[in-house]
Amino acid sequence: QVQLQESGPGLVKPSETLSLTCTVSGASISRNYWTWIRQAPGKGLEWIGYIYYSGSTNYNPSLKSRVTVSVDTSKNQFSLKMNSVTAADTAVYYCASVDMSQLDFDYWGQGTLVTVSS
Amino acid sequence: QSALTQPASVSGSPGQSITFSCTGTSTDVGGYTYVSWYQQHPGKAPKLMIYAVSHRPSGVSNRFSGSKSGNTASLTISGLQAEDEADYYCSSYTSGNTWVFGGGTKLTVV
């Protein structure tokens, strides 16, 4: 069974960089594409971006200028960095695996709340 | 990319069948069979309920079914149960090699 666990600071100051890591267990990170999705309080889901173990990435056009997703195959982890954050980036951030044959998000982490506030 | 369009809320009684809609464009829902549906209970992570328009993952009740016509995908729940009360989101792969979600539909079982 694939399991994903997000980790990182729960509080980030405005204009600073949000950094989160997703640790994958039960599967090799070289097996799939991996993605980040967020959900602002009381709002819907927003896709952020994906990465393949080779380093290939793509991002939501609305966030592309501020987001970087990277992978560390030695640790079976992938990470999200989002710079110049504002209160609008306050959300629960989920990491998930992408089934590359059906292009759906089949396994999800439990999510981690990141609050942007001074 | 614009979010897919879903009704904000739907309600139904136990035992009824209800259908959610998810409308996109020819560059997402209409152009691919990669439409999926997710169920989210309060405070929980989303759960995959339907993939590739109409396929159920192992362990998902056969009361859940999906379909698509043109730029609109649909999720139907038959024999509505109290435990089905949740938020439901559709998602589609897009021509830009990205994904897009709908705004979500809140299902109330009355």
Side-chain angles (χ1 to χ4, degrees):
Chain A
Q1 179 78 347
V2 180
Q3 293 185 314
L4 299 95
Q5 179 67 58
E6 305 89 351
S7 60
L11 181 64
V12 181
K13 289 182 168 54
S15 81
E16 295 191 344
T17 297
L18 177 161
S19 296
L20 295 174
T21 295
C22 182
T23 301
V24 179
S25 58
S28 167
I29 204 156
S30 302
R31 179 181 77 93
N32 258 358
Y33 282 52
W34 307 91
T35 193
W36 288 96
I37 293 160
R38 71 178 182 178
Q39 186 172 34
K43 302 296 184 182
L45 300 170
E46 180 179 31
W47 180 76
I48 298 172
Y50 80 79
I51 190 163
Y52 191 47
Y53 80 97
S54 63
S56 172
T57 58
N58 203 11
Y59 304 110
N60 186 323
S62 69
L63 299 171
K64 192 169 187 174
S65 64
R66 298 194 294 126
V67 170
T68 302
V69 180
S70 58
V71 65
D72 186 336
T73 55
S74 68
K75 295 182 179 179
N76 228 38
Q77 295 176 333
F78 62 106
S79 299
L80 169 69
K81 289 189 186 300
M82 180 181 294
N83 59 34
S84 305
V85 297
T86 70
D89 296 311
T90 293
V92 174
Y93 286 76
Y94 295 100
C95 59
S97 63
V98 182
D99 182 314
M100 285 316 298
S101 60
Q102 306 299 345
L103 300 185
D104 58 66
F105 310 121
D106 51 359
Y107 296 98
W108 295 65
Q110 64 184 25
T112 187
L113 174 63
V114 178
T115 301
V116 178
S117 175
S118 55
Chain B
Q1 59 190 29
S2 298
L4 306 177
T5 301
Q6 295 185 250
S9 62
V10 170
S11 62
S13 301
Q16 281 187 327
S17 291
I18 57 137
T19 298
F20 305 91
S21 62
C22 169
T23 302
T25 68
S26 60
T27 61
D28 40 62
V29 174
Y32 301 92
T33 59
Y34 301 123
V35 177
S36 50
W37 290 88
Y38 302 86
Q39 176 192 65
Q40 186 180 36
H41 287 109
K44 300 294 186 182
K47 174 187 175 183
L48 177 65
M49 304 300 284
I50 294 287
Y51 67 91
V53 175
S54 60
H55 295 81
R56 280 186 311 277
S58 174
V60 172
S61 170
N62 59 9
R63 297 186 298 106
F64 291 81
S65 62
S67 62
K68 189 185 82 163
S69 177
N71 295 337
T72 298
S74 299
L75 171 70
T76 298
I77 308 176
S78 59
L80 205 57
Q81 299 179 0
E83 67 205 47
D84 299 331
E85 185 163 294
D87 294 328
Y88 290 85
Y89 294 90
C90 61
S91 176
S92 176
Y93 180 73
T94 82
S95 61
N97 190 28
T98 63
W99 279 263
V100 63
F101 283 99
T105 298
K106 181 178 180 60
L107 170 63
T108 301
V109 180
V110 297

